[in-house]
Amino acid sequence: MKVDGTHRRSLWPADGRDALFVIDQRRLPHECVVARLEDLAAVDAAICQMTVRGAPLIGATAAYGVALQMNADAGDAALDLALQRLAATRPTAVNLRWALERQAARLRPLAPAVRADAAWDEADAIADADVAVNRALGAHGLALLRTLQRQHAGRRLNLLTHCNAGWLATVDWGTALAPVYLAQAAGLDLHLWVDETRPRNQGASLTAWELGQQGVAHTLVADNAGGHLMQRGLVDAVIVGCDRVSARGDVANKIGTYLKALAARDNGVPFWVAMPLSTLDRRVSDGLRDIPIEQRDAREVTHLGGRGADGVVVEVQLAPDGTSALNPAFDVTPARLVDALITERGVVPATAEAIAALTRAAPGPADDG
Ligand code: MRU
């Protein structure tokens, strides 16, 4: 997508295959800065510290992390250590495991001497496929939006989104925002309510920034405003991304997603989840019980970062000294509250049967595991 009018991906390899460039998402929206990652340790830190974040982007970044390690040492022990180290960076988004398993399957049968080239090829393939998958998912989502617009003919569509599931969370296009970008290109009149998404504020800092860059009409709202907007008839659909979806359709996504789904159901508002098949975990059925939920630093809740009037980005304390805080980063929305899963192979209900049929329909990422 575009940054200041120039097309960018959220990550790209150096020409010499000796580094990975990523947009440093911790610096947005105040500056768009590119970070150069030169080894496994730098990739590990970039994922842990959320220089990069978003399920598909974490997976692609980790795949390049393996490639960087193969440049340094392509022996069996080094490969296994790299896979283990990267797998431990963040627990909830399953795309990480999916990408590492792809690298493992590609590299383990090879002699160490040829592993580095193969690892870079595989990482490039994962990144390119992510772009194509999101574009395809976006086209299916666009069809849903066209139907919605026919139901509300003659007026602007209002969508609500939570967290950031745009191009910054993927290699390009995004998941939940891919249909939005295609709808904008197709001339549909739409507007997004953007949840701020405490505590990391991905909505305020990332979604608002990228929608602004693409010229999509949007309004930032406090996380607690969604239910009220739905009661007033100001939300035509909720569209979110996901970090892991279980085989029966339970959806792990950014903390607060579940409350939006409850409010949507109570108000008869469709609740849609954009799910590339790399985010499906067929090994988990009961997502509420078995999807691991990342617990992050309490300081993300007690403190807040932002730009002061002097232009300097600072952190301020919100809570009294010594306040204890809990910071679960994700929640799980039960499948019964999900009206549609938008995938690269079409739109399906969030049921075990529909998901199984979808993954049988053609070979692809979810069939690998
Ligand atoms: O903690 P984050 O910022 O990595 O969480 C990201 C989200 O929850 C996104 O909504 C999700 O990964 C979908 S990304 C297309």
Side-chain angles (χ1 to χ4, degrees), residues 10-337:
S10 57
L11 96 183
W12 61 98
D15 289 343
R17 289 188 151 184
D18 57 351
L20 175 67
F21 293 107
V22 299
I23 294 178
D24 186 342
Q25 300 193 22
R26 297 168 308 170
R27 309 279 286 272
L28 289 169
H30 309 301
E31 6 170 45
C32 184
V33 172
V34 173
R36 180 182 163 97
L37 311 178
E38 297 189 345
D39 56 21
L40 175 65
V43 169
D44 178 316
I47 298 173
C48 288
Q49 294 166 14
M50 293 175 71
T51 305
V52 294
R53 29 65 56 207
L57 183 60
I58 293 170
T61 305
Y64 281 110
V66 174
L68 282 165
Q69 178 59 26
M70 294 301 92
N71 285 357
D73 179 350
D76 288 350
L79 173 58
D80 284 344
L81 274 177
L83 294 168
Q84 279 166 25
R85 182 169 173 177
L86 290 164
T89 48
R90 293 195 69 192
T92 302
V94 78
N95 310 60
L96 178 65
R97 184 182 84 200
W98 169 81
L100 293 173
E101 287 180 353
R102 267 188 67 158
Q103 282 288 31
R106 175 88 183 257
L107 302 180
R108 281 207 176 105
L110 300 178
V114 295
R115 278 182 180 158
D117 276 344
W120 285 94
D121 289 346
E122 190 67 18
D124 287 345
I126 286 171
D128 290 344
D130 182 66
V131 179
V133 158
N134 296 334
R135 175 72 176 69
L137 181 159
H140 292 299
L142 173 59
L144 277 183
L145 290 176
R146 286 191 191 283
T147 303
L148 196 64
Q149 192 176 53
R150 281 194 290 276
Q151 290 163 5
H152 302 290
R155 72 158 173 84
R156 170 175 269 198
L157 282 183
N158 290 298
L159 308 177
L160 182 139
T161 193
H162 190 69
C163 194
N164 173 261
W167 70 271
L168 287 166
T170 66
V171 179
D172 206 349
W173 284 104
T175 57
L177 295 191
V180 170
Y181 293 134
L182 289 175
Q184 184 200 30
L188 266 70
D189 185 17
L190 49 81
H191 161 267
L192 267 81
W193 300 109
V194 176
D195 285 349
E196 60 176 348
T197 318
R198 280 281 291 150
R200 290 287 296 212
N201 294 305
Q202 289 95 330
S205 59
L206 303 176
T207 304
W209 180 79
E210 65 165 89
L211 290 173
Q213 290 286 331
Q214 311 310 317
V216 176
H218 63 281
T219 304
L220 182 65
V221 289
D223 287 328
N224 297 329
H228 167 74
L229 295 173
M230 291 183 217
Q231 285 176 325
R232 295 279 167 108
L234 294 172
V235 181
D236 297 311
V238 178
I239 185 164
V240 295
C242 51
D243 292 83
R244 190 184 299 221
V245 177
S246 76
R248 70 179 195 190
D250 301 326
V251 172
N253 192 49
K254 183 53 55 191
I255 191 78
T257 303
Y258 170 51
L259 290 175
K260 297 297 170 286
L262 283 173
R265 180 56 55 91
D266 192 44
N267 289 282
V269 172
F271 184 87
W272 299 336
V273 175
M275 180 195 75
L277 290 178
S278 56
T279 312
L280 175 62
D281 185 355
R282 291 190 304 167
R283 296 174 210 172
V284 166
S285 173
D286 182 341
L288 284 88
R289 192 187 62 195
D290 293 334
I291 295 179
I293 300 297
E294 180 177 10
Q295 301 292 324
R296 293 189 63 87
D297 193 339
R299 195 175 176 89
E300 293 181 350
V301 179
T302 55
H303 291 66
L304 192 65
R307 188 172 61 187
D310 57 0
V312 177
V313 174
V314 291
E315 185 187 68
V316 295
Q317 182 177 329
L318 297 174
D321 289 345
T323 300
S324 89
L326 184 71
N327 187 11
F330 299 93
D331 61 24
V332 179
T333 299
R336 66 186 156 75
L337 297 178

